[in-house]
Amino acid sequence: MRRRKWKFQKFQHNNNVTKEKDSETKNDKTYISKDVKVNEEIIKERVGIGVSFDTGVRTLNILGREIQIYYVNGLCDMVAITELLKELMKLDVRDRETPYVREAIENHLTHVQVEYKDNIEDCITDMLSGLVFILVDGEEKAFVLDVRNYPGRSPEEPDNEKVVRGARDGYTENIIENTGLTRRRVRDERLRHEILQVGVRSKTDICISYIEDIADPDLVDIVRKELESIDIDGLPMADKVVEEYIVNQGGNPFPLVRYTERPDVAAVHLYEGHVIIMVDASPSVIITPTTFFHHVQHAEEYRQAPFIGTYLRWTRFFGMFVSLFILPLWLLMVLEPQLLPDALDYVGPNEDSNVSEFMQIAIAEFGIELMRMAAIHAPSPLTTALGLVAALLVGQIAVEVGLFTSEVILYVALAAVGTFATPSYELGIAVKIFRFILLIAVVSFQLPGFVIASTILLLLLVSIRSMNKPYMWPFLPFDGQALWQILIRTTVPNLRRRPSIVDPQDPVKQSPE
């Protein structure tokens, strides 16, 4: 990651020296002048007031001093700004002769959160984030008020993490709302929400959330330093760009961080000692560090009785296993019928086809993926019609014309259902990729190819490390108690210790009775 960053900086230096010099100039702080007119000229030139219709300034004369209120339409709560203007105008009527102008204005700012900035760069950044700042003639510090009111939707249940019973709220694209949804479930005075801005131009807000006396301080420092080291113009793809900077994904298709849009899931991981990363303008939060088994858990398992939760978990495990191995194993049995036991001699195509079994599977897999993408991009009223067309084309006409056999359609459908049953979308795509690799190995080398490809898959999983944590924990390295909790949905009163994989400062979750 460091080498990639160095190369990026070298490329900028060799190809855009002027831009680099401009960036260095912008990093120099321009401190607020006592002459408000000087500040006004600089700010108008920097943010384009008078050119951009959504940036503006309101000038008032209060107690013999000129004050200027800078704002951005669409990001501010105009009701709060109106109340502020009313209070300042009343102040001018009541206390015209007071010599303490700054103190009088400060005491009449009708807002609970007031900060002070002494340079124009910080003021402009806050303004473009939805805050307002107030300049007073003769003063070298500005008042900054947080009146953000970002446009967005209300918290709704995430489409890809639905539960039969449980909370129906979910994270939104508003980072302020997301921190509130988290704190509602973690009313601990030691919960920390550290905010920083990433992106030379975008100044995207990123929040690092953790519980101070649980999370590993070294882990928090690593996450903080990785975020602070990001050097890029902006984060238009939000959390996905952040993920690519903080973990070294490389050519590995398996997800190294977990995404969730459910505040209750994020709260559970905070209590365990994980670190949560929230990126403004993204409804998903990043949970780190995570292992392979974090991606196969679902909130529904903990909304049911332990026995039912275990049943759901094992059903999901079976679906994932079927998704990965059923097609390669079926193709292997077709290519080497002598491997079939007598009880399964019915397995295999009963009718001839003009296309080989491998090509049938490849075409069907490609067709299902194409239909999935079409369903995502198609308008909602057309998705039902699209499903009917797909069922007719793949399920009936393709079989009648001899392109597919019925058995291929059956096993491809089972593999697709297992993929959709995987809780993590990213993990489901990775399973699909390795399923195709296994198919290629089987059609090329039959049984030895299947064995070697499966072994390579296991070795790859064992070799992966996420945030310097073993990806296959607690299977390798082996932790019997933790593995039992993954295989069996343990009752909450029996979950007395936090996962050791995150190195929690307080490993005991609840004391024994």
Side-chain angles (χ1 to χ4, degrees):
M1 183 181 299
R2 303 295 182 189
R3 184 169 60 222
R4 183 174 67 245
K5 179 184 175 185
W6 178 82
K7 289 180 179 179
F8 175 72
Q9 291 175 338
K10 182 178 179 181
F11 174 82
Q12 282 188 320
H13 178 73
N14 292 336
N15 296 276
N16 201 350
V17 178
T18 303
K19 181 179 178 180
E20 184 175 346
K21 290 182 178 179
D22 290 342
S23 299
E24 291 175 357
T25 302
K26 290 180 181 179
N27 288 332
D28 296 335
K29 299 294 184 181
T30 303
Y31 290 95
I32 296 174
S33 171
K34 286 187 176 182
D35 187 348
V36 74
K37 294 298 183 183
V38 173
N39 301 325
E40 182 180 7
E41 292 179 3
I42 297 174
I43 296 170
K44 283 187 175 181
E45 181 182 359
R46 293 281 295 275
V47 301
I49 295 178
V51 179
S52 298
F53 77 94
D54 59 341
T55 58
V57 56
R58 179 72 163 90
T59 303
L60 298 174
N61 194 295
I62 304 296
L63 302 177
R65 299 272 194 95
E66 181 179 339
I67 70 170
Q68 297 173 344
I69 305 175
Y70 292 86
Y71 60 91
V72 175
N73 277 321
L75 299 180
C76 300
D77 184 357
M78 287 303 170
V79 175
I81 296 179
T82 302
E83 291 298 323
L84 173 65
L85 291 174
K86 288 181 180 179
E87 190 66 24
L88 291 176
M89 291 175 182
K90 291 179 183 178
L91 169 65
D92 188 53
V93 174
R94 291 195 300 263
D95 300 318
R96 183 178 297 273
E97 302 300 329
T98 179
Y100 306 105
V101 177
R102 175 184 173 84
E103 291 77 6
I105 293 175
E106 182 178 0
N107 291 333
H108 285 77
L109 296 177
T110 55
H111 202 276
V112 296
Q113 184 174 344
V114 180
E115 297 179 352
Y116 311 94
K117 298 294 174 66
D118 61 357
N119 64 86
I120 292 178
E121 281 71 25
D122 289 346
C123 291
I124 290 176
T125 299
D126 288 341
M127 169 189 170
L128 298 177
S129 300
L131 292 78
V132 300
F133 69 91
I134 302 174
L135 297 179
V136 181
D137 192 21
E139 301 294 337
E140 294 181 330
K141 286 189 176 182
F143 300 110
V144 180
L145 284 71
D146 191 348
V147 294
R148 281 178 285 197
N149 185 25
Y150 292 155
R153 56 188 176 88
S154 59
E156 299 173 352
E157 184 177 18
D159 289 335
N160 55 348
E161 294 182 273
K162 290 184 177 180
V163 294
V164 177
R165 297 186 183 276
R168 304 297 177 183
D169 57 343
Y171 286 126
T172 68
E173 291 76 12
N174 189 330
I175 193 172
I176 304 301
E177 286 186 355
N178 293 346
T179 55
L181 289 170
T182 304
R183 194 171 287 275
R184 181 182 179 187
R185 290 168 169 82
V186 187
R187 299 179 182 179
D188 189 337
E189 61 186 19
R190 289 149 295 196
L191 174 62
R192 299 292 179 258
H193 287 319
E194 295 185 16
I195 195 164
L196 61 153
Q197 293 179 330
V198 175
V200 177
R201 296 182 183 274
S202 68
K203 301 291 194 304
T204 304
D205 291 324
I206 298 181
C207 176
I208 307 173
S209 300
Y210 60 94
I211 299 180
E212 191 172 35
D213 63 337
I214 298 179
D216 180 13
D218 293 335
L219 174 62
V220 177
D221 289 340
I222 290 173
V223 173
R224 186 187 299 114
K225 290 177 181 177
E226 292 293 343
L227 293 175
E228 291 175 347
S229 67
I230 297 177
D231 185 9
I232 193 173
D233 277 352
L235 304 175
M237 294 294 106
D239 47 8
K240 186 58 184 176
V241 179
V242 172
E243 176 198 346
E244 293 182 2
Y245 271 98
I246 65 175
V247 296
N248 186 14
Q249 186 80 26
N252 169 37
F254 288 96
L256 301 182
V257 299
R258 180 181 178 182
Y259 289 96
T260 185
E261 297 182 34
R262 296 189 62 90
D264 50 0
V265 173
V268 168
H269 285 81
L270 284 172
Y271 287 128
E272 290 182 350
H274 292 263
V275 176
I276 307 295
I277 303 174
M278 303 180 185
V279 184
D280 193 25
S282 173
S284 302
V285 303
I286 297 174
I287 301 173
T288 186
T290 55
T291 66
F292 174 85
F293 297 100
H294 282 99
H295 299 280
V296 299
Q297 298 177 1
H298 193 274
E300 180 66 22
E301 299 163 3
Y302 292 91
R303 294 290 184 178
Q304 304 293 338
F307 184 84
I308 302 301
T310 303
Y311 165 75
L312 295 176
R313 182 173 295 181
W314 274 93
T315 302
R316 186 173 292 111
F317 289 166
F318 178 74
M320 294 176 59
F321 181 86
V322 167
S323 174
L324 179 60
F325 289 111
I326 189 169
L327 281 173
L329 286 173
W330 178 82
L331 183 60
L332 179 62
M333 297 301 106
V334 171
L335 297 178
E336 296 191 15
Q338 67 275 12
L339 297 177
L340 273 172
D342 294 336
L344 298 178
D345 58 357
Y346 58 86
V347 174
N350 297 321
E351 64 270 13
D352 294 331
S353 175
N354 300 324
V355 184
S356 68
E357 287 78 8
F358 173 75
M359 288 304 301
Q360 290 183 52
I361 294 173
I363 295 172
E365 287 274 19
F366 178 76
I368 289 178
E369 187 67 18
L370 198 61
M371 287 185 290
R372 183 190 65 83
M373 291 189 290
I376 292 175
H377 301 310
S380 298
L382 299 180
T383 53
T384 303
L386 180 64
L388 293 174
V389 171
L392 289 174
L393 289 177
V394 177
Q396 183 177 354
I397 298 177
V399 175
E400 291 179 357
V401 301
L403 180 61
F404 297 138
T405 62
S406 301
E407 200 166 359
V408 168
I409 297 297
L410 171 64
Y411 291 119
V412 168
L414 289 175
V417 171
T419 301
F420 296 142
T422 305
S424 169
Y425 173 78
E426 294 80 8
L427 181 59
I429 297 298
V431 168
K432 180 177 294 188
I433 292 173
F434 271 94
R435 180 171 70 228
F436 200 74
I437 293 175
L438 287 174
L439 287 169
I440 295 175
V442 168
V443 77
S444 301
F445 306 104
Q446 282 78 49
L447 182 59
F450 178 80
V451 174
I452 293 173
S454 300
T455 304
I456 292 175
L457 172 60
L458 179 60
L459 293 177
L460 173 63
L461 289 172
V462 172
S463 65
I464 296 174
R465 299 184 72 85
S466 174
M467 302 295 290
N468 205 30
K469 307 294 183 182
Y471 195 59
M472 289 302 291
W473 180 92
F475 177 64
L476 288 174
F478 184 76
D479 186 333
Q481 183 178 2
L483 185 61
W484 175 261
Q485 294 176 1
I486 289 174
L487 297 177
I488 304 298
R489 199 295 227 180
T490 311
T491 59
V492 175
N494 289 329
L495 295 175
R496 304 196 183 279
R497 301 186 68 84
R498 295 184 173 90
S500 60
I501 189 67
V502 294
D503 296 323
Q505 297 184 73
D506 182 8
V508 179
K509 183 181 297 186
Q510 54 181 331
S511 301
E513 297 178 359

